Amino acid sequence: MVRIRLGPRTVCVVTDARLVHTLLVALAYDCPRGAVQDTLKTAFGDGLLMSEGQAHRDRRRIIQPAFAPDRMAEYLAVMHQVAEERAGRWRPGQVLDVAKEMNHLALEIVTRSLFDARLSEDATVAFHRALPDLVKGQIVQSLYPHPALGRLPLPVNRRFDAAVRVLNRVVDQAVNAPAASARWNTGRGSLPALLRAATDPATGRPLTEADVRSEAITMFGAGTETVSTTLTWLLDELLRHPEVEARVLAELDEHLPAGTAPTPKRSPGSRTPATSPRRWCGCTRPTPS
């Protein structure tokens, strides 16, 4: 546990994996979301990420079918396709902003897998530009000694409010895409279709459009910024530890030879030499000298 003093607040950072598990799993329903989540709740509503207690349990049960095993197989196929398309734009010797590339990759995977939609280029660019202001704003506002300070026309507050408007527009584009209204069934259906077909366990009534938007925003937030940041640092760590990178590449060569599409049930087979250069996260890696 690391204790950090941030103005009037004391923040404790949990750095041990077992303690993180205890906090987020064993004690999940006994620990409040905290000030950062309160800021998001004010901006985006009472979605899964921001709700607590019984409301959180009810919403989890509603969304759970979207992550059933058969759905995960569909999502994996989309992830593979999106990764191949993104990597197909890279060229040997090209200098890339890895954080930006991973951000674009994560956003496209979320919109195409969960929403069966494609964002316009303008919406994609606007989303990536707004994300840093959204993250910084929610952290700064969570440290204010009084919530009223979040309504002052300070630069950080104005940028946060602008970022919220951008994210809302992007989510509306995905939620209102033609496929978003398709019927949810075992064969096909987007996350918005699932939510619109569900009923609230507490009231027995269908979810409102505000509920649908709140959950959509949750999935955009959970599936983009944290995922892209993790992928960015993963690549950096692998390049700093070539022995780990070599083990990862060897396992890929054994179980997923070049040109093989991954599936959830793919079983390990005999080692098959790759017939084309190993594509490292879609980008051809040079042969070590």
Side-chain angles (χ1 to χ4, degrees):
M1 296 281 291
V2 179
R3 184 173 296 151
I4 303 174
R5 188 76 178 175
L6 295 175
R9 294 178 183 269
T10 298
V11 179
C12 293
V13 182
V14 180
T15 64
D16 180 81
R18 290 170 297 180
L19 290 179
V20 170
H21 183 273
T22 299
L23 183 66
L24 298 182
V25 179
L27 302 178
Y29 295 112
D30 299 317
C31 299
R33 291 288 185 264
V36 173
Q37 300 308 99
D38 289 342
T39 301
L40 291 178
K41 186 174 181 179
T42 301
F44 299 125
D46 195 13
L48 182 66
L49 184 64
M50 284 72 81
S51 60
E52 297 176 347
Q54 189 60 46
H56 180 79
R57 295 183 180 93
D58 290 342
R59 199 56 63 88
R60 277 188 62 182
R61 282 194 285 268
I62 291 174
I63 294 179
Q64 196 167 12
F67 299 97
D70 58 332
R71 291 287 167 175
M72 298 308 296
E74 294 181 11
Y75 300 155
L76 181 56
V78 175
M79 294 175 193
H80 181 247
Q81 182 179 357
V82 172
E84 287 289 329
E85 291 173 1
R86 170 62 51 179
R89 306 172 189 175
W90 303 341
R91 297 291 178 267
Q94 179 184 2
V95 177
L96 294 170
D97 183 332
V98 176
K100 181 179 178 180
E101 289 295 317
M102 295 301 101
N103 213 320
H104 278 268
L105 178 69
L107 178 61
E108 192 166 1
I109 285 175
V110 167
T111 54
R112 287 172 58 175
S113 60
L114 292 179
F115 297 88
D116 197 15
R118 292 176 183 263
L119 295 178
S120 66
E121 184 63 26
D122 289 344
T124 300
V125 171
F127 179 89
H128 293 303
R129 287 177 177 172
L131 199 56
D133 291 331
L134 182 72
V135 175
K136 181 179 179 179
Q138 75 177 63
I139 294 174
V140 171
Q141 291 192 14
S142 70
L143 297 176
Y144 286 154
H146 194 281
L149 294 176
R151 296 191 290 271
L152 295 177
L154 302 174
V156 65
N157 292 339
R158 293 201 304 269
R159 288 193 293 268
F160 175 77
D161 291 341
V164 169
R165 290 193 294 271
V166 168
L167 183 54
N168 278 320
R169 288 198 300 269
V170 171
V171 169
D172 284 341
Q173 186 178 128
V175 168
N176 295 322
S181 299
R183 180 174 177 271
W184 175 270
N185 51 50
T186 56
R188 196 61 187 161
S190 66
L191 178 65
L194 165 67
L195 294 171
R196 286 169 176 145
T199 56
D200 188 334
T203 64
R205 293 193 294 269
L207 298 184
T208 66
E209 280 301 306
D211 291 330
V212 174
R213 291 187 72 262
S214 292
E215 298 308 336
I217 289 172
T218 294
M219 293 304 163
F220 267 94
T224 53
E225 197 273 336
T226 51
V227 172
S228 63
T229 300
T230 301
L231 288 173
T232 300
W233 284 106
L234 170 64
L235 293 175
D236 182 74
E237 285 296 307
L238 286 174
L239 293 175
R240 290 176 184 270
H241 299 85
E243 72 284 357
V244 178
E245 178 190 10
R247 285 165 51 195
V248 172
L249 293 176
E251 185 172 341
L252 287 171
D253 282 336
E254 179 177 358
H255 301 308
L256 284 175
T260 304
T263 64
K265 296 182 180 180
R266 181 169 297 283
S267 59
S270 59
R271 183 177 179 85
T272 304
T275 56
S276 60
R278 162 55 59 196
R279 294 175 66 80
W280 178 237
C281 290
C283 184
T284 303
R285 290 277 296 156
T287 302
S289 57

